Amino acid sequence: MKGWTGRLLRINLSTGKHWVQDLDPSILINYVGGRGLAVKLLWDELPRGIDPLSPLNKLIIAAGPLTGYPGPNTGKLVIAAKSPLTGGYGDGNIGSWASVHLRKAGFDAMIIEGASSRPVYIYVENEGVEVKPADDLWGLDTFTTEDKLRSIYGSNVGMLIIGPAGENLVRFATVVAQKGRSGGRPGMGAVMGSKRVKAIVIRGTKPLPQPADQALSKIGVEADLAAKAKQNYGFWLRQGTTATVEWAQEASVLPTLNYREGQFDYYDKIGGVMVEKSNVTTRSCPNCVMPCGHVVKDLEDQLSELDYENIAMLGSNIGVGDLQEVAYLNRLADMMGLDTISLGSTLGWAMEATERGLIKDGLEWGDYRRAAEVTLDIAHQRTELGRLLGLGVRGASSRIGGGSEGFAMHVKGLEVSAYDCHAAPGMALAFATSPIGAHHKDAWVISWEVQTNRFAYSRDKVLKVIELQNIRGGWFEVMVGCRLPWVEIGLELDWYWRMYKAATGLDLDLEGVANRVYTLIRAYWIREYGGWLRDYDTPPARWFKDPLSKGPLKGSRLNYDAYQQMLTWYYEARGWDERGVPRRSTLRRLGLEYVEGDLSKVIDLRD
Ligand code: PTT
Ligand code: SF4
């Protein structure tokens, strides 16, 4: 097939064997790549109910049919597995040269299965695979590990690395690339750690697969130029995602003190204007036309790469109002391989639990020094507190109880990204129905919502959430390119359809692919959870119960009944029944009849 390599590399660490497999063309057409390919493989290959941290779990690294070709931001990959944080389907999207090298090595994806008995790292050079001892790397932070591996392999490789958090199976450990790209929020770093894999180093030296149409390069270059000509391009280069701090403050959605409030008194000390002033350099993923990694110097004069989510979660959400302090915490998270969103949420939850007397010797709001100590403790799992918080907010609150579940900000076990939803029902629905738990990546509907009727609980809003989910989760996560050229500077989606057609020779069936992938992920969750409750698709209790206590939207909170009506509309539009379970007719329409047997064992399917 054109555009895809059509091949998968499988490495079994228990047996020490590796082999190459051809990918079925119909799977590539129907699931495309990235998340689509990952969930298909996980559904087919993982037995129900496995321990995500056991050798039975499989770690999937998947590129897509545009990866590496010229064109806007084609240097990303999806990393996926059964999540140890949520117990459901988990994935993340990382910008890394590993994506391009994987394709140049001749693969669209690789699967790591089994587990090694000792620490190792994996070196892939085209078809050659070496599993090498990593005893001298185990325990090192991700930056030092990268330096050591670069001294062996040089700069012309891609690397995916875990830190101490992944080694110690912290449930929200991520995988880190390029000292500042971090992905796999639902614990993909812990899955890698459970296999005792410290790093994956990939070098590909072959040409990329032949595209169907040689015009692909020309279209890609034209798309790059079109992106650079956009009105917002210059401002984006100066502030990137960090400008969202000021926007979120204005819109009263900046998470503050564990999502109690939507505004922070010191927002201007940590916002995009401050980042622009402090910026020392900018970094990017491969093939990026609009670099967004804003690097500043932190308290220790070290480099730290910032994005909006890092700043909000390690700043306003825990009461830290100083950019250098935030940057310091962010660098520690990158070095340890911890997700900054879950870390900031967990620290915020612990600060509130300390305030309420539920945790002794905990943390005070705004105390960045103590937050740094606890961050290291979580990564190294040294004390009882570190071990408690390493479970994430769902696990920690269910362990200590005392009402702390009521301020644990998660959906399905994944901590909420940095948007307060007391007055944003559409965004609350987007979090609650995201296929990996409360991540904003599938539908960042909030910018549209605050500009339209933000207080409405309307069917239009539901349809907007689905439209965005299908484009973001159903296209950008399956073709695996960065969505920011489209979201942030308004690059037209048509460029992507043209590149896909030129690469593969096929017209993209966006609706079909997106609905298929969303419904298969839903089936995966139901099979694992052994049934389904609407509660799983409901946002955290705080947004319904504890109104905002100050600011222009003082008194705002979500309406439970109106939210449930939106959820019903959502299910209807997806072809799922009123419990949130795909109907048989939907499964058949999407070519997913093959899940009916497994699903029927755990829940009655309706027509
Ligand atoms: C993403 C999530 C985000 S989303 C941010 S900031 W953002 C946080 N970044 C972290 C970090 O940094 N260090 C750390 N230790 N933990 C972090 N956790 C958080 O992870 C990221 C960019 C960003 S920056 C965004 S919005 C876009 N996300 C995309 C996406 O999800 N899909 C896609 N097709 N394109 C995207 N483009 C943008 O990529 P996760 P990255 Mg990350 C320091 O991976 O698990 O999806 O979580 O991937 O290469 O760093 O790029 O304001
Ligand atoms: Fe990576 Fe940012 Fe460029 Fe997207 S815009 S490819 S996240 S550097």
Side-chain angles (χ1 to χ4, degrees):
M1 291 189 75
K2 300 292 184 187
W4 288 279
T5 68
R7 298 185 335 149
L8 170 103
L9 175 65
R10 192 181 289 268
I11 301 171
N12 187 309
L13 292 166
S14 298
T15 61
K17 295 202 168 119
H18 70 270
W19 63 102
V20 175
Q21 283 177 267
D22 288 337
L23 285 159
D24 180 343
S26 72
I27 292 183
L28 295 175
I29 293 168
N30 287 320
Y31 299 88
V32 182
R35 166 186 278 182
L37 187 54
V39 67
K40 172 71 176 141
L41 292 165
L42 293 174
W43 174 274
D44 287 348
E45 298 191 15
L46 292 192
R48 171 174 185 242
I50 59 153
D51 175 353
L53 297 174
S54 76
L56 291 174
N57 203 358
K58 301 194 181 193
L59 188 67
I60 299 187
I61 293 161
L66 296 184
T67 307
Y69 290 130
N73 308 17
T74 57
K76 289 200 160 240
L77 55 83
V78 164
I79 188 155
K82 178 175 179 182
S83 161
L85 183 64
T86 67
Y89 170 80
D91 71 21
N93 192 303
I94 315 178
S96 164
W97 280 102
S99 64
V100 181
H101 279 282
L102 181 68
R103 294 257 293 167
K104 287 190 167 175
F107 306 109
D108 294 316
M110 66 191 274
I111 300 186
I112 299 170
E113 52 190 39
S116 167
S117 55
R118 59 184 292 201
V120 293
Y121 73 92
I122 297 171
Y123 177 63
V124 176
E125 183 169 331
N126 300 330
E127 274 84 16
V129 174
E130 293 175 63
V131 178
K132 298 185 154 231
D135 304 271
D136 57 336
L137 299 175
W138 205 250
L140 298 182
D141 66 71
T142 61
F143 292 10
T144 312
T145 305
E146 177 165 342
D147 288 342
K148 287 196 177 262
L149 289 169
R150 289 233 180 266
S151 71
I152 303 171
Y153 296 104
S155 57
N156 191 22
V157 290
M159 292 184 198
L160 300 169
I161 298 170
I162 60 165
E167 296 171 15
N168 294 318
L169 311 181
V170 175
R171 301 300 189 271
F172 51 90
T174 53
V175 176
V176 178
Q178 302 174 193
K179 297 187 178 178
R181 300 268 140 207
S182 162
R185 292 197 53 213
M188 298 302 104
V191 175
M192 197 158 143
S194 72
K195 302 193 174 304
R196 317 247 322 145
V197 176
K198 179 68 181 175
I200 301 164
V201 182
I202 310 177
R203 190 197 304 275
T205 60
K206 300 187 206 172
L208 288 165
Q210 275 295 323
D213 182 347
Q214 295 304 327
L216 174 62
S217 298
K218 186 167 168 281
I219 300 169
V221 171
E222 284 171 5
D224 280 349
L225 291 174
K228 286 183 179 167
K230 291 288 173 193
Q231 201 188 355
N232 197 27
Y233 185 72
F235 179 67
W236 171 263
L237 290 186
R238 294 203 306 277
Q239 297 194 6
T241 61
T242 67
T244 310
V245 174
E246 281 87 348
W247 173 84
Q249 172 80 4
E250 171 76 25
S252 293
V253 299
L254 183 66
T256 301
L257 306 186
N258 195 29
Y259 294 84
R260 279 182 188 163
E261 309 295 345
Q263 289 193 327
F264 183 51
D265 291 344
Y266 307 103
Y267 77 97
D268 54 335
K269 304 280 187 287
I270 57 173
V273 173
M274 192 56 95
V275 170
E276 185 178 343
K277 279 189 203 147
S278 318
N279 195 27
V280 290
T281 185
T282 309
R283 293 188 192 142
S284 74
C285 311
N287 289 4
C288 177
V289 70
M290 44 183 280
C292 76
H294 286 271
V295 181
V296 303
K297 286 203 170 162
D298 68 19
L299 280 181
E300 295 186 335
D301 219 26
Q302 302 292 312
L303 300 181
S304 176
E305 186 174 332
L306 292 172
D307 286 298
Y308 167 68
E309 306 285 330
N310 321 127
I311 295 178
M313 296 310 295
L314 297 173
S316 53
N317 197 53
I318 60 171
V320 173
D322 177 283
L323 191 67
Q324 283 196 311
E325 292 173 8
V326 171
Y328 174 55
L329 293 173
N330 177 65
R331 177 170 58 84
L332 289 186
D334 284 348
M335 293 175 80
M336 294 299 113
L338 284 167
D339 174 52
T340 51
I341 298 174
S342 291
L343 176 65
S345 185
T346 306
L347 292 173
W349 173 86
M351 287 171 176
E352 185 158 351
T354 305
E355 185 181 66
R356 291 172 183 242
L358 296 169
I359 292 182
K360 298 218 170 15
D361 301 323
L363 311 86
E364 305 295 324
W365 296 114
D367 184 350
Y368 83 92
R369 280 187 196 284
R370 181 74 181 126
E373 270 169 31
V374 174
T375 298
L376 295 174
D377 185 5
I378 293 172
H380 292 284
Q381 295 282 278
R382 283 193 189 117
T383 71
E384 206 178 311
L385 181 64
R387 288 189 285 277
L388 176 76
L389 300 185
L391 299 172
V393 297
R394 181 173 71 178
S397 63
S398 70
R399 186 166 288 183
I400 71 162
S404 66
E405 298 92 338
F407 54 90
M409 301 303 291
H410 72 91
V411 175
K412 303 182 183 72
L414 184 70
E415 287 74 14
V416 178
S417 320
Y419 302 94
D420 183 78
C421 293
H422 279 92
M427 190 65 214
L429 179 74
F431 278 137
T433 57
S434 149
I436 61 167
H439 199 6
H440 61 290
K441 79 164 148 199
D442 281 76
W444 190 63
V445 72
I446 197 157
S447 65
W448 174 86
E449 183 168 37
V450 298
Q451 284 167 36
T452 51
N453 186 356
R454 75 181 285 175
F455 300 104
Y457 294 74
S458 63
R459 195 191 288 265
D460 281 357
K461 223 174 237 192
V462 173
L463 296 180
K464 189 73 181 173
V465 168
I466 292 178
E467 177 195 325
L468 291 179
Q469 286 180 334
N470 285 355
I471 295 171
R472 296 164 67 109
W475 163 245
F476 284 103
E477 297 312 320
V478 304
M479 77 82 149
V480 206
C482 175
R483 62 171 187 257
L484 296 186
W486 166 65
V487 176
E488 299 287 354
I489 59 169
L491 185 70
E492 295 77 11
L493 286 170
D494 192 50
W495 287 107
Y496 297 99
W497 314 153
R498 287 175 62 198
M499 287 192 288
Y500 180 78
K501 169 98 185 184
T504 64
L506 303 169
D507 289 310
L508 179 72
D509 171 16
L510 176 74
E511 288 288 301
V513 171
N515 281 321
R516 186 173 302 115
V517 170
Y518 263 74
T519 300
L520 183 55
I521 294 178
R522 172 54 55 125
Y524 187 89
W525 280 92
I526 295 171
R527 186 172 70 172
E528 287 306 316
Y529 274 39
W532 202 253
L533 300 172
R534 290 172 69 103
D535 277 0
Y536 301 148
D537 294 327
T538 299
R542 161 150 287 171
W543 288 334
F544 295 105
K545 292 192 176 141
D546 306 335
L548 293 174
S549 75
K550 54 184 188 179
L553 300 182
K554 183 176 169 183
S556 298
R557 62 177 163 175
L558 294 179
N559 177 313
Y560 186 81
D561 293 337
Y563 173 81
Q564 289 298 334
Q565 175 59 66
M566 282 175 78
L567 187 58
T568 298
W569 286 326
Y570 179 91
Y571 290 159
E572 278 170 14
R574 282 244 174 255
W576 303 348
D577 68 24
E578 62 282 7
R579 300 165 302 169
V581 178
R583 294 182 181 280
R584 276 184 199 280
S585 49
T586 304
L587 294 173
R588 289 173 189 173
R589 177 169 52 80
L590 297 172
L592 296 173
E593 310 79 336
Y594 62 89
V595 309
E596 284 182 35
D598 274 10
L599 279 194
S600 304
K601 289 183 195 151
V602 298
I603 201 159
D604 61 306
L605 290 178
R606 298 179 186 162
D607 288 330

